Amino acid sequence: MVKKFEEKTVSTETIFEGKIISVQVDEVELPNGKLSKREIVRHPGAVALIALTDENKIVMVEQYRKPLERSLLEIPAGKLEPGEKPAATAERELEEETGYRAGKMEYISSFYTSPGFADEIIHLYLATGLEKVENPADGDEDEFVELFELTLEEALECMRNERIYDAKTLFAVQYLQLMEKIWYE
């Protein structure tokens, strides 16, 4: 099946293999027959969680993000391990990053983060019925986080003052804002 505007790969060269990502340069044939190059970041995919306490507070983590040279408040998230299903990753990451386990885990949506140059996909889940785990699984040894629980109003204020500034968390907060309108209409 021919895809509209398809770019046919002529050659691929992997130029970097890292712990989380790889980078390749593809030479492609454009729909008009000309050749061009595409730099592509390959990522295994990730999950993100809207974790809501029984008091309707959003569980967030604050962590330092080196590419931005600053800390951000974010919803819990983490990358898929080889062969791991997104739902299993969601359960694992919730416990590792927050110390909570969900009574109910509901899939919301999946989305590509930057399809112009990367294939990273994030699978978003809603975690409710949270219970603190007595001895939670250890998180990544190179990850340092502080836990926060915010009301929707507090999260919106954090968006305004740029403490919440990443796409997955903005999406999550706006999803909750939209759902609140639907739930209470």
Side-chain angles (χ1 to χ4, degrees):
M1 178 166 126
V2 177
K3 299 172 192 158
K4 191 173 185 180
F5 308 124
E6 180 179 11
E7 299 177 354
K8 294 182 180 144
T9 303
V10 175
S11 66
T12 297
E13 178 187 3
T14 300
I15 60 172
F16 174 77
E17 282 281 346
K19 181 178 154 188
I20 298 173
I21 64 162
S22 65
V23 180
Q24 69 189 51
V25 177
D26 284 5
E27 183 174 28
V28 298
E29 181 184 340
L30 302 173
N32 64 3
K34 294 185 178 183
L35 295 177
S36 189
K37 298 228 186 250
R38 298 288 184 250
E39 297 168 355
I40 301 170
V41 175
R42 297 287 183 199
H43 186 280
V47 299
L49 297 125
I50 302 172
L52 288 180
T53 68
D54 290 342
E55 297 79 32
N56 273 336
K57 290 195 173 182
I58 311 160
V59 179
M60 301 229 180
V61 293
E62 182 176 22
Q63 58 187 322
Y64 188 78
R65 293 304 195 178
K66 183 62 180 165
L68 307 179
E69 297 289 353
R70 64 178 280 201
S71 292
L72 295 177
L73 275 174
E74 302 176 40
I75 60 173
K79 74 177 181 63
L80 295 167
E81 296 298 335
E84 190 176 42
K85 300 281 187 212
T89 305
E91 291 172 4
R92 178 178 52 77
E93 286 294 336
L94 180 64
E95 184 174 333
E96 287 178 3
E97 289 199 2
T98 70
Y100 281 114
R101 200 170 281 144
K104 182 179 179 188
M105 188 78 72
E106 179 184 345
Y107 171 78
I108 295 173
S109 183
S110 297
F111 54 90
Y112 290 102
T113 59
S114 298
F117 67 89
D119 68 352
E120 179 187 28
I121 188 167
I122 293 181
H123 307 281
L124 184 64
Y125 289 83
L126 176 63
T128 55
L130 302 182
E131 293 181 17
K132 269 292 191 191
V133 176
E134 191 171 318
N135 294 306
D138 291 332
D140 297 336
E141 64 182 37
D142 63 349
E143 192 171 57
F144 300 90
V145 300
E146 183 178 348
L147 204 60
F148 287 85
E149 295 180 1
L150 306 176
T151 65
L152 180 57
E153 294 73 26
E154 290 168 333
L156 291 167
E157 179 59 30
C158 287
M159 286 171 56
R160 286 189 281 279
N161 66 31
E162 298 178 3
R163 283 191 70 209
I164 292 175
Y165 211 50
D166 70 296
K168 72 183 177 313
T169 307
L170 292 169
F171 181 101
V173 171
Q174 291 179 330
Y175 172 84
L176 289 174
Q177 188 178 31
L178 175 64
M179 293 312 294
E180 183 180 62
K181 288 181 182 183
I182 292 170
W183 291 328
Y184 296 109
E185 282 185 350

